[in-house]
Amino acid sequence: MEKAIDSSKPKASHGVEDDLSNEADELLLTLPREKNFDGTYLYQFNGVWYRPNFLYGMISTRRHFQARNSDIIVSTLPKSGTTWLKALTYAIVHRSRCAFEHSPLLSTNPHELVPFFEVSYYLNKNDIPSFEHLYTPRIFGTHIPYSMLPDSIVNSNFRIVYICRNPLDQFISHWHFLLKLAHNKESETLSLEESFEKVCNGVQNAGPFWEDVLGYWKASLDNSHKILFLKYEDLKEDTHSYVKKLAEFLGCPFSNVEEKERVI
């Protein structure tokens, strides 16, 4: 049976996040848990495995986030081409606002320009965040599965770009990444073999892998105008065609002049 999340909007922001933090802490005590590659724990909520901070941020996002029809979300499993897709999306959408030689991407990490809303905005905040400082269209990143996205996103014309990657490559990249982060920590990391066994059993951050991929795949079949499903390997093999396709989906296609000038 799925655990319910109250997605109703609070009447006031004062004390809301403190209450939610206590609620999340109590929730963790009731959830199944398994060790992650880096020795920390993942918790299973409604069939999905989360780090505690991502679980808190997901619940807070579902409760508070209000989508606009012009919004864009870049959704991925970790280590599936997230940074690359964020950079491409940002560059495409903002190319008319900023010349390439002055692009913020030259000096700022794409994760800062396209932040994960469940971590950057809805994690450990004392107030419900304001997005007035963001340009329109607003661009966000997320690792939240399609089934757990806020209703305001699913019921709007919010554009979602999802990218998947060969599961073996995604696993190896994720394993190396987490072990680097754990290098100076005291937690006991898992071997490659132990970690692979975890993944085969569906235990990984934002996993199981196939449930996440199929959730967005099936949604893209029903809502192709709202959800673009990409494969990392296709984007790598034919970047030109898929960047063009991405721009068309985002509502800012390249002009004939831009194509002649090799902007893509």
Side-chain angles (χ1 to χ4, degrees):
M1 180 180 295
E2 290 192 352
K3 295 178 180 292
I5 298 177
D6 180 8
S7 60
S8 58
K9 188 174 180 180
K11 295 180 180 179
S13 62
H14 179 69
V16 166
E17 297 307 313
D18 289 337
D19 292 342
L20 183 53
S21 181
N22 293 333
E23 178 185 333
D25 289 341
E26 293 176 2
L27 178 62
L28 289 180
L29 297 176
T30 70
L31 300 178
R33 70 174 189 172
E34 292 277 352
K35 275 197 173 183
N36 199 9
F37 312 155
D38 59 358
T40 60
Y41 281 100
L42 296 174
Y43 293 83
Q44 190 184 49
F45 180 78
N46 283 358
V48 181
W49 293 94
Y50 299 94
R51 288 176 171 275
N53 60 334
F54 272 88
L55 176 59
Y56 171 84
M58 183 276 293
I59 294 174
S60 185
T61 302
R62 280 181 57 88
R63 186 165 297 182
H64 301 318
F65 183 75
Q66 296 299 312
R68 296 177 183 171
N69 287 330
S70 59
D71 288 344
I72 298 168
I73 181 172
V74 175
S75 181
T76 63
L77 277 169
K79 314 312 291 181
S80 295
T82 308
T83 310
W84 187 21
L85 185 59
K86 282 185 174 185
L88 287 175
T89 302
Y90 185 91
I92 290 169
V93 169
H94 293 294
R95 70 184 188 275
S96 62
R97 186 178 63 84
C98 184
F100 285 125
E101 58 267 26
H102 302 300
S103 172
L105 286 164
L106 297 174
S107 57
T108 307
N109 190 298
H111 292 302
E112 295 182 43
L113 298 172
V114 184
F116 294 104
F117 49 32
E118 68 265 30
V119 175
S120 300
Y121 294 124
Y122 289 105
L123 184 63
N124 296 326
K125 298 292 184 181
N126 293 322
D127 296 297
I128 299 172
S130 169
F131 300 110
E132 297 302 319
H133 64 290
L134 297 180
Y135 290 100
T136 299
R138 306 180 304 182
I139 312 175
F140 304 99
T142 190
H143 290 321
I144 296 177
Y146 183 79
S147 62
M148 299 302 290
L149 289 175
D151 291 339
S152 68
I153 292 178
V154 176
N155 296 330
S156 71
N157 287 323
F158 200 118
R159 290 184 177 92
I160 299 173
V161 183
Y162 182 84
I163 190 168
C164 73
R165 187 181 185 184
N166 178 296
L168 183 58
D169 293 336
Q170 185 268 342
F171 159 64
I172 292 295
S173 180
H174 198 192
W175 183 73
H176 280 293
F177 176 74
L178 289 183
L179 262 61
K180 285 181 181 179
L181 293 181
H183 182 69
N184 296 320
K185 296 181 179 180
E186 296 180 357
S187 56
E188 184 176 350
T189 60
L190 302 184
S191 68
L192 180 63
E193 292 77 11
E194 290 172 317
S195 300
F196 183 69
E197 187 68 22
K198 292 280 187 182
V199 171
C200 288
N201 292 324
V203 182
Q204 62 174 309
N205 188 30
F209 178 92
W210 291 113
E211 278 75 356
D212 190 84
V213 172
L214 288 172
Y216 280 96
W217 167 251
K218 291 176 180 177
S220 73
L221 297 179
D222 296 331
N223 303 279
S224 59
H225 63 294
K226 292 172 55 175
I227 304 172
L228 178 64
F229 189 97
L230 299 174
K231 299 176 184 177
Y232 177 91
E233 291 75 20
D234 291 345
L235 183 60
K236 185 176 180 180
E237 182 177 350
D238 188 3
T239 306
H240 183 280
S241 295
Y242 280 95
V243 166
K244 184 176 179 180
K245 183 176 182 178
L246 178 58
E248 291 171 353
F249 173 78
L250 295 174
C252 44
F254 293 97
S255 66
N256 292 332
V257 173
E258 287 180 309
E259 292 201 47
K260 290 179 181 178
E261 294 179 351
R262 300 177 59 84
V263 171
I264 299 177

